Amino acid sequence: MTLLLLILIGGFAIAAAVALARGLLAFFRDGEQFRQNGAAPGEAFGMKQNRMMAKRALFQGIAILLVALIGALSSQA
């Protein structure tokens, strides 16, 4: 059971890191596009980076909950 939880924690930690990298890359691309073309009316800059940062927070939260679950299970043994 602990091994499964450790694997899940690793997976969610990697997912959080990937979401962070994708969010930063989207931030960089939006900045470059804004510098080159300017903001077009009605164009939503930052939507992808906001979505990626929200996913990062979700994955981090799940990983933290799994760490707490491991701690609770180990204190009972």
Side-chain angles (χ1 to χ4, degrees):
M1 179 71 168
T2 305
L3 180 63
L4 175 66
L5 289 174
L6 288 174
I7 291 170
L8 286 173
I9 289 169
F12 281 113
I14 290 170
V18 168
L20 175 64
R22 289 184 66 195
L24 290 174
L25 184 61
F27 179 73
F28 176 74
R29 286 183 180 166
D30 281 351
E32 287 294 317
Q33 184 178 3
F34 183 74
R35 278 192 291 279
Q36 290 175 0
N37 304 329
E43 189 173 350
F45 282 105
M47 292 299 291
K48 183 173 182 178
Q49 60 186 324
N50 286 344
R51 195 170 49 249
M52 287 295 109
M53 291 303 142
K55 285 183 180 182
R56 178 199 54 85
L58 174 70
F59 295 146
Q60 258 182 312
I62 292 171
I64 290 169
L65 287 175
L66 291 174
V67 168
L69 182 62
I70 285 178
L73 290 175
S74 67
S75 68
Q76 290 178 354

